[in-house]
Amino acid sequence: MSTTPTLDRSIIERQELHAQRTGRAVVAGAFSPRQLWQALPGAVRKLGPRAQLRNPVMFVVWVGSVLVTGLSVADPSLFAWLIAAWLWFTVLFANLAETVAEGRGKAQADTLRRTRTETVARRLRADGSEEAVPGTALRIGDRVVVEAGEVVPGDGDIVEGIATVDESAITGESAPVIRESGGDRSAVTGGATVLSDRIVVQVTTKPGESFVDRMIALVEGAQRQKTPNEIALTILLSTLTIIFLLTVVALQPMAGYSGAQQSLVVLTALLVCLIPTTIGALLSAIGIAGMDRLVQRNVLATSGRAVEAAGDVDTLLLDKTGTITFGNRQATELLPAEGVSLAELAAAARLSSLADPTPEGRSIIELCARAHELPAEATAGEAAAQFVPFTAQTRMSGLDLNGCRIRKGAASAVAGWVDEADGGLPRGLQDKVDRISREGGTPLVVAEKNGAEQNGDGGRVLGLIRLSDVVKPGMATRFAELRAMGIRTVMITGDNPLTAKAIAAEAGVDDHLAEATPEDKMALIRREQSGGRLVAMTGDGTNDAPALAQADVGVAMNTGTAAAKEAGNMVDLDSDPTKLIDIVEIGKQLLITRGALTTFSVANDLAKYFAILPAMFMVLHPSLGALNIMRLATPQSAILSAVIFNALIIVALIPLALRGVRYRPTTAARLLRRNLLVYGLGGVLTPFAGIFLIDLLVRLIPGI
Amino acid sequence: MSPTVAGLVQVSALLLVLVAVYVPFGNYLAHVYTSDKHWRVERALYRLVRVDPGTEQRWTVYAAGVLGFSFLSIVLLYLLQRLQPLLPFDFGRAAVEPSVAFNTAISFVTNTNWQSYVPETTLGHSVQMAGLTVQNFVSAAVGMAVAVALVRGFARSGTDRLGNFWVDLVRGTVRVLLPISFAAAILLVGLGAVMSLRAGVDVTGVDGRQSTLALAPAASQEVIKMLGTNGGGIFNANSGHPFENPNGASNLLEYLLVLVIPVSLTRAFGVMVGNPRQGHVLAAVMGVIWGSLLSVAWWAETHPNGTATLAAGAALEGKEVRLGIPSSVLFGMATTGTSTGGVDSMHDSYTGLGGGVLLLNMLLGEVTPGGVGTGLYNILVLAVIAVFLAGLMVGRTPEYLGKKLGRVQITAAAIAILAMPAVVLLGAGAALAQPGELDAALNNDGPHGLSEVLYAYASTANNNGSAFAGLTVTSDFFQSTLGLAMLFGRFVPILAVLALAGSLAAQKRVEPGVGSLPTHGPMFGVLVGGTVVLVAALTFFPALALGPIAEALK
């Protein structure tokens, strides 16, 4: 990937900014109780049967609510009315969870929609003349002209020209980016503003189907389809519901035989308490919130399926440049020549780079400042020096100070400058130069000449600066975490095998692919997948498109080509390849949240039995009072307390469903132990306390 | 030796033998179902029924084989009973009544061996030997074949073939059941069991009265009755009859035979999926649940709370004095935990808690350790459910043994676990809703009567076949509903399990890494055990509360 240094610098800064913004753990937006109030009208609107049919568990609750309401009208009693009311609350709270989640998605969508302001496009006719058409009239293949100050009317590729573009409306990133025709940076997104120059854009999407349009539909939940795992879980929850339905249906003849016929109100209350309402109510909210967490990180997924697949990823393919290493080379070592002290070399190296504005030059200053405690800025005396900039002819840069000339540059150039007649380096040094080159680094030679130029004195070679790829700090720990999570990391690089191996070892990746061509990449993905493993990768170029399409999770960079974005199933608006790791964590967190709340929901049933069964049959078999271990006041208060707990726990868990269960990368065994303890054991114990406390209040109601 | 010491000695002996044979016998079972060599006698059989043992079958064909073979068996067994007077050794006994013949045919083909007839007076030796004993072998072999097909589903990768049902059926019979039965029958005869083709022997009792003691080829049928977890006695008193089970030693041998295949099959499973620890953890789950329930039942029977039993000091009613309480409890635990249903004591006479434990053993879904084959596939289905529930909590699409559990797998597993509770609850509910039927059928009322009805449907739906007794099931209502309970309880799970096996085999197998849920350690054991107990407890808590729990707390 060839990039200009300034652009790279901005990517690094953005990555650092991103890391600061998000911290290490997966987090999501804050949840405030006010959102519940705002969602209330929407939740009430969903109380109709049509909205409930989509969710089998909540549909049973809905039918139960209707039934008990009817029974309360037919045979009014305070108890029946209270049960009816709380059953309706149960349905309402489930609606509330979904509405809150959707509301958060809508807020995201509104932000995105603001970029969809109506624009007038300057369409090019076949003869080259322009016509003004509304942006919505553009079709695929149309070519439009966009000049400085104008808004790009739709997604497309630049086919002519180069321009700086402000994409802040879409990405929130204020630094303008450069887009040019040809190559991998030709894509522009509708809604971006061109800041300079003139470009011709070929439209690649139909109006209403642009990238942002699709994302809006997705985050609003309009196109939300159940993901495979959600469907499987729904089947299991439905099965549990059927089992409990049978349990309650069979209970009536058993109770009748025993001489304690139960009222339909009580049986319905028991059924609603037993079926997995907690997870049934929160299931869709969890899915929407997972999507939402991605959007908050400026990642747009084309389907919920992709988010789920992210949690399952076994192999991560990571591009070396920009992902594992900084995008440019940095000074990592000073190697003095024979008879030169390290301090002397450091001083010269620093001087030679004082006026070098490139990242490489700056990295030399930083190295000298860090390792040799030399000032990072030019002193007043040094500022008076005459700087010699790098030119393609000399292939050196440096400065002249008080008659001392210091240069640094490519080995052959500096050698020639030092001794024009000889043209060689001392043998020891030449070996080191060769070694650094072999290892994939770039050697720079530093030399000095004392006295005036015309003296014709041979100069002195002081030593070497090694420039090499620097692995971003923290990457090794990150990969170790991924390994603990069971994810294999493979570094992809165009470097030669030796360099690739050295960097792979330093970064701590599990494997690497050197001198990688797009075909190699594709073959690697296929090989991994043939072993049943799921592969995630990032890419931005058109030649990445086939691999992005083949990968199970393909994250296209927003700076990439339209082809790449079309092929992947996610787009990162920040174009930050490291985010792939976050995406995997979000996918995992989504699945964990689902599993944890399911476990919690099922584990809750035990306490409810201990509340309701003695209440039902204590009159018949006083000995069953021994099961009333919570010492609930009366049969009616016990049943009502269980129903109230069952409803309130939904509201109590909405924040958790939206935020997601806390996730730290670790082994599956540890995760399981922790979550089983918290949500399994916690799920058994919590309702005992909850129902007991609610009963303390409920028993105060006269007549209960 | 006090009964307690004797009981402990038996438990130790049982454990010792099971531990000793577990690895070699489990490995042998795995070899039986994976070897590509055919014995000569097997080849002859394949030629006879025109089966090519080399071809493998899709799950649908495999399932069609199971269903076709079972249906044909039911018809043949029905005809044999109806045509009894035409057969030798009929001792003048009449053709079996249609409703009884129907119920019995289903009962023996489904490996239930629920008996709504008195063997000594209803069946001659021909029907016993050519009909019931044959089914004792093949119904057990069918159970193992289905289990093995499911194991292949986990072990294989990217194929639509599950093996050949006919080969699995023949091998299970020829290589496993027949040799052990042969050896054990001789041992049992040596211990005093009866083996005779005579109708009976005339004796003069101590009171001077003449009576005829029925005789039968008991030892041979007794052995396969236990080994194949069948349970249908050749005498009405089942293993309580001294001709079937003469003494403590034969008692030990019999429940050992019951447990040996179901327990060792977990080893075969582990070997076949390439990691024996996967099987060990399932064996441990079975053992821990079984051991805990055994302690409860043992304690309950030695600490009774009824007036009469308190006076006696122990609940000996309905138990053989020559066997004693611990032996009876061990036998009852072994046969209810394995869908055998043979009894050496009357479960109806157990204490509320003790009888409740035996009932619970079945309501757990026959997984502790369950019937031959059925126990393994039932616990694997529950493991699939457990993995799906908890597997999500490690942040991946749940996977078990490298196979992903998605919509198809969960649907199949859900149908398999839904069948039994549905049949038990609907059956018992329907029966209890009919006071007329109950008045005629029930000996007891109150919680104990409820337990009797619940037990009958639990026993048939789980293909156990033991009777709590105290419930007369000869009416058309009970004959037909219990018959249907056996059919649904057997074949719905089998179909679902084979569908599950087919969908698993089609998947590529991914070697599990540190990121996937570990399924071989104690953690997973707790998870599977918890799921087994929780599913049963949540489903049957209300029913148990009105039956055994109410009785026990009295």
Side-chain angles (χ1 to χ4, degrees), chain B residues 317-379:
Chain B
E317 181 200 300
K319 297 189 182 75
E320 285 285 298
V321 178
R322 71 202 154 87
L323 298 174
I325 288 175
S327 302
S328 302
V329 172
L330 272 164
F331 196 98
M333 280 299 299
T335 57
T336 51
T338 55
S339 88
T340 305
V343 292
D344 72 352
S345 51
M346 292 302 115
H347 295 175
D348 197 22
S349 304
Y350 276 48
T351 57
L353 185 58
V357 166
L358 298 180
L359 178 56
L360 183 62
N361 236 345
M362 297 188 288
L363 293 178
L364 289 176
E366 292 293 17
V367 291
T368 57
V372 282
T374 60
L376 180 62
Y377 68 66
N378 281 332
I379 203 164

Side-chain angles (χ1 to χ4, degrees), chain B residues 259-276:
Chain B
L259 293 170
V260 68
I261 295 181
V263 170
S264 302
L265 267 176
T266 58
R267 168 78 191 184
F269 157 72
V271 171
M272 285 175 76
V273 298
N275 181 357

Side-chain angles (χ1 to χ4, degrees), chain A residues 23 59 128 141 291 437 486 506 567 585-586 610 613 630 643 660 685 691:
Chain A
F59 182 68
M291 201 76 144
S437 303
E506 194 189 340
E585 292 187 356
I586 289 173
F610 277 97
L613 279 186
M630 286 172 273
V643 171
L685 298 179
I691 293 173

Side-chain angles (χ1 to χ4, degrees), chain B residues 43-68:
Chain B
R43 279 220 195 82
L45 274 170
Y46 299 140
R47 265 198 301 279
L48 195 70
V49 293
R50 304 219 175 144
V51 165
D52 173 12
T55 54
E56 297 223 323
Q57 299 165 333
R58 290 193 188 87
W59 82 262
T60 43
V61 179
Y62 202 99
V66 173
L67 290 186

Side-chain angles (χ1 to χ4, degrees), chain B residues 154-509:
Chain B
F154 282 110
R156 292 184 174 184
S157 179
T159 173
D160 59 352
R161 306 287 149 154
L162 285 182
N164 185 316
F165 167 66
W166 307 107
V167 171
D168 293 338
L169 177 70
V170 166
R171 286 191 182 179
T173 312
V174 171
R175 300 192 191 185
V176 181
L177 298 172
L178 272 170
I180 300 177
S181 297
F182 191 78
I186 292 172
L187 201 59
L188 200 60
V189 170
L191 287 170
V194 163
M195 190 72 193
S196 167
L197 283 178
R198 288 166 61 189
V201 56
D202 294 326
V203 293
T204 310
V206 282
D207 56 357
R209 270 198 288 183
Q210 290 283 324
S211 61
T212 307
L213 291 180
L215 291 177
S220 62
Q221 189 169 344
E222 181 70 12
V223 166
I224 186 61
K225 169 188 124 185
M226 305 313 280
L227 182 68
T229 62
N230 293 288
I234 204 161
F235 300 115
N236 196 36
N238 209 302
S239 299
H241 198 299
F243 289 178
E244 283 195 19
N245 184 12
N247 49 44
S250 67
N251 197 57
L252 173 63
L253 173 67
E254 290 186 7
Y255 62 72
L256 192 62
L257 284 172
V258 158
L259 293 170
V260 68
I261 295 181
V263 170
S264 302
L265 267 176
T266 58
R267 168 78 191 184
F269 157 72
V271 171
M272 285 175 76
V273 298
N275 181 357
R277 289 176 68 194
Q278 299 282 356
H280 298 174
V281 68
L282 296 185
V285 171
M286 293 168 166
V288 167
I289 297 179
W290 191 79
S292 319
L293 290 178
L294 172 69
S295 326
V296 175
W298 193 336
W299 181 86
E301 294 312 294
T302 43
H303 297 76
N305 56 1
T307 326
T309 39
L310 272 180
L316 263 171
E317 181 200 300
K319 297 189 182 75
E320 285 285 298
V321 178
R322 71 202 154 87
L323 298 174
I325 288 175
S327 302
S328 302
V329 172
L330 272 164
F331 196 98
M333 280 299 299
T335 57
T336 51
T338 55
S339 88
T340 305
V343 292
D344 72 352
S345 51
M346 292 302 115
H347 295 175
D348 197 22
S349 304
Y350 276 48
T351 57
L353 185 58
V357 166
L358 298 180
L359 178 56
L360 183 62
N361 236 345
M362 297 188 288
L363 293 178
L364 289 176
E366 292 293 17
V367 291
T368 57
V372 282
T374 60
L376 180 62
Y377 68 66
N378 281 332
I379 203 164
L380 283 174
V381 165
L382 280 159
V384 163
I385 298 287
V387 167
F388 186 81
L389 276 177
L392 281 175
M393 285 196 290
V394 305
R396 288 177 68 92
T397 299
E399 49 196 8
Y400 186 32
L401 298 164
K403 300 294 177 91
K404 288 211 176 350
L405 304 179
R407 187 175 54 83
V408 178
Q409 291 75 28
I410 287 306
T411 308
I415 291 172
I417 59 159
L418 194 55
M420 186 275 283
V423 170
V424 173
L425 290 169
L426 290 179
L432 288 167
Q434 302 184 58
E437 286 285 344
L438 293 180
D439 283 346
L442 268 183
N443 291 0
N444 301 79
D445 56 3
H448 198 74
L450 194 144
S451 297
E452 288 171 348
V453 174
L454 190 61
Y455 195 102
Y457 286 92
S459 173
T460 46
N462 280 295
N463 300 137
N464 181 286
S466 68
F468 212 37
L471 179 69
T472 311
V473 291
T474 46
S475 77
D476 285 345
F477 172 81
F478 281 109
Q479 289 284 35
S480 52
T481 54
L482 291 172
L484 289 175
M486 290 187 268
L487 276 180
F488 284 119
R490 172 81 163 178
F491 294 110
V492 173
I494 281 185
L495 280 179
V497 162
L498 288 175
L500 175 64
S503 76
L504 290 172
Q507 277 187 38
K508 290 221 177 70
R509 191 172 173 195

